[in-house]
Amino acid sequence: MAFLKYLQYWKQPEYVRYIQYPHSLGFLDILCDDENDTFRSSLKDAAFRDFIHSQHFLHWQHYAGQRTNPIADEHEA
């Protein structure tokens, strides 16, 4: 747990710009949250890890390509 809490420094502005996968910070938050012990213990189950992985992949496969740039949309209107 101490190492996970240490990794929180990546959320600081001077480091966050180097993050390639920003969703990883969300997972870091969940892992560091003391109230989310059930999530951490569920990660021991291979089926749960596979589920999280597949859902995450599907999100990026379908959602990421459908996002729009609100600034570009505003200029086109």
Side-chain angles (χ1 to χ4, degrees):
M1 281 299 297
F3 184 68
L4 291 174
K5 292 190 186 286
Y6 163 75
L7 291 176
Q8 293 282 353
Y9 79 88
W10 281 104
K11 295 171 74 175
Q12 297 174 9
E14 61 267 22
Y15 299 106
V16 77
R17 64 184 175 153
Y18 298 109
I19 297 289
Q20 295 268 335
Y21 302 101
H23 58 275
S24 62
L25 296 176
F27 280 107
L28 182 61
D29 285 341
I30 294 169
L31 290 169
C32 288
D33 185 3
D34 292 331
E35 296 177 14
N36 258 329
D37 190 42
T38 54
F39 180 79
R40 285 192 301 273
S41 62
S42 296
L43 287 173
K44 295 174 187 175
D45 180 19
F48 182 75
R49 289 191 311 267
D50 290 343
F51 175 75
I52 295 292
H53 180 264
S54 65
Q55 293 299 304
H56 196 239
F57 175 75
L58 289 171
H59 171 75
W60 280 98
Q61 183 180 24
H62 296 287
Y63 174 75
Q66 296 175 7
R67 289 186 293 179
T68 61
N69 184 342
I71 295 172
D73 290 346
E74 186 178 293
H75 290 292
E76 290 175 7

